[in-house]
Amino acid sequence: MRFRIPLPEDRPWRVLGLMSGTSADGVDVVAVEVDPTGFPDARPFRALLGHHAAPYPEALKAAVLAAASNRLDPAGLCVLQRRLGDHHAHAAAELCATLGLQPDLASLHGQTVQHHPAEGASLQLADPYVLAEVLGCPVVWDLRRRDLALGGQGAPLVPLPERWLRGAEPWLALNLGGIANLAYWDGSRLQAWDTGPGMSLLDLAARRWLGQAFDPGGAAASGRVHSDLLERWMQHPYFRQAPPKSTGREVFGEAWLEAQAGTLETLALPDRLAALAAFSAEAVAREAARLDPLAPGTHGLVSGGGAQHRRLRTELATRLPLPLEDDTAFPAGAREAVSWALLGAASALGLPGNLPEVTGAARPVALGSWVWP
């Protein structure tokens, strides 16, 4: 087997995956064991060796949210990239020290602060050079822009690793991060796209009206849903757009909430939060309806921070025909980092990491740029 970079040929690889999602609450680092000969049979994953979650300090999170809301100048973006790089590197080094592990390679997602697929652009801030120096191993990063260069959305990229991680029977996986996305395997075809807001608006509302980073368990979202308001929100152009498609905080973030704040503040606080939970759920349900009918025996799974939001889960249960079970295959927050580790290993082999039928790219292609220590 020919590798794009020097890697062991006599044993499985030890690969780090670093993921910072649209929730913008920190970085998840995983160490996984990968069988490089397992990709042709869609079975490269062998074991999760460890997981470490490193929340952003409040000042760093505030800077990330400012960047996502167009409130950070170029100098601020420049400095933020290094600060995020240091945070990622420290988190990765801490996991490696705990495990006594020297990784063979690391796959770095970085923190998305802007995503404009219609313009062929997306920006994930990270510093692979710092990470390579700290870990002493090759680092692959900036995996989205190759797909964008081929006319794709640059997202979602995790559906292919999901196919590698899950069985051959039909499944639907819903990830409730800052932005929600679904992936559906009917036994022969994989479909996936972003459905719209997940926890982005709910978390921003918690910061604005509760003075908290988030609403634990969704306890404050106890009010009633105003159906006229919800239906007005569902007229957003994103929901009329057919896949392939992806979105981000530029669409469903601070600017959206600011535009709706006047209307929301005429409601009782529990009603405001309930309305936003219903918005995320209704967006998922209407997008999932594009898949109708589902294959018999489809298994529904949910992951991401929104899986812990009880009101959001209740709203989903009333709208989806398919029951959703908690995805417990990996620790909370680890699954996407595992997927990113697998994408990094695929890149090292020169294997495609995108699915053109999912992203809209002209062709499948190996992803990312490499940095050596």
Side-chain angles (χ1 to χ4, degrees):
M1 183 176 292
R2 294 185 61 190
F3 304 157
R4 298 175 75 201
I5 63 173
L7 284 168
E9 299 187 39
D10 57 349
R11 62 168 174 80
W13 296 345
R14 297 181 290 264
V15 182
L16 293 190
L18 295 88
M19 169 58 68
S20 304
T22 50
S23 57
D25 53 8
V27 57
D28 284 282
V29 187
V30 297
V32 300
E33 190 173 80
V34 175
D35 177 5
T37 68
F39 281 95
D41 298 323
R43 290 292 182 270
F45 176 79
R46 290 190 49 160
L48 176 65
L49 304 177
H51 168 235
H52 174 57
Y56 290 150
E58 184 57 34
L60 184 55
K61 180 169 184 175
V64 168
L65 294 177
S69 302
N70 297 319
R71 292 186 287 104
L72 214 58
D73 61 17
L77 285 172
C78 181
V79 174
L80 178 59
Q81 181 173 41
R82 178 54 191 257
R83 290 174 63 196
L84 286 166
D86 289 342
H87 187 85
H88 281 65
H90 179 79
E94 189 168 339
L95 177 62
C96 290
T98 299
L99 298 175
L101 175 75
Q102 174 57 48
D104 296 308
L105 66 100
S107 182
L108 172 65
H109 180 275
Q111 179 63 61
T112 300
V113 294
Q114 293 288 322
H115 184 63
H116 301 280
E119 304 296 331
S122 189
L123 179 61
Q124 286 72 46
L125 294 184
D127 196 326
Y129 303 99
V130 173
L131 190 63
E133 290 297 327
V134 168
L135 296 179
C137 72
V139 175
V140 62
W141 76 300
D142 203 17
L143 276 70
R144 297 193 185 277
R145 286 201 293 166
R146 185 71 185 278
D147 184 86
L148 285 156
L150 290 165
Q153 295 276 313
L157 295 180
V158 296
L160 183 55
E162 288 284 346
R163 177 70 187 95
W164 295 332
L165 289 166
R166 301 187 188 275
E169 298 302 313
W171 49 264
L172 185 149
L174 175 64
N175 177 48
L176 296 172
I179 297 298
N181 59 74
L182 61 79
Y184 171 56
W185 169 255
D186 65 6
S188 60
R189 179 189 178 202
L190 187 59
Q191 302 176 68
W193 63 91
D194 289 346
T195 64
M199 291 300 295
S200 57
L201 301 176
L202 282 159
D203 288 348
L204 287 168
R207 293 172 74 91
R208 184 182 186 111
W209 291 309
L210 298 176
Q212 302 172 181
F214 62 97
D215 174 16
S222 58
R224 73 179 184 91
V225 176
H226 295 251
S227 58
D228 56 337
L229 181 60
L230 178 60
E231 188 56 37
R232 177 156 60 83
W233 290 345
M234 291 306 304
Q235 300 309 306
H236 193 285
Y238 184 75
F239 305 120
R240 296 194 294 272
Q241 182 183 342
K245 62 178 182 176
S246 59
T247 189
R249 285 180 173 270
E250 306 75 30
V251 179
F252 298 109
E254 189 172 298
W256 186 95
L257 188 64
E258 185 63 37
Q260 300 299 321
T263 299
L264 282 165
E265 286 172 351
T266 66
L267 308 178
L269 178 55
D271 289 5
R272 296 175 214 168
L273 298 175
L276 293 172
F279 183 33
S280 291
E282 183 68 15
V284 168
R286 295 200 191 185
E287 292 295 324
R290 297 177 187 272
L291 302 169
D292 187 54
L294 296 174
T298 297
H299 188 202
L301 295 161
V302 61
S303 61
Q308 308 305 315
H309 193 286
R310 291 188 294 273
R311 182 59 183 262
L312 178 52
R313 293 292 297 272
T314 297
E315 295 291 338
L316 284 167
T318 64
R319 289 171 165 81
L320 291 176
L322 180 71
L324 296 176
E325 300 176 9
D326 289 329
D327 191 338
T328 58
F330 296 103
R335 185 167 201 102
E336 283 193 286
V338 171
S339 293
W340 221 253
L342 293 175
L343 286 174
S347 179
L349 291 165
L351 297 175
N354 64 333
L355 290 170
E357 62 269 32
V358 168
T359 67
R363 59 185 170 88
V365 67
L367 304 174
S369 299
W370 286 88
V371 171
W372 279 264

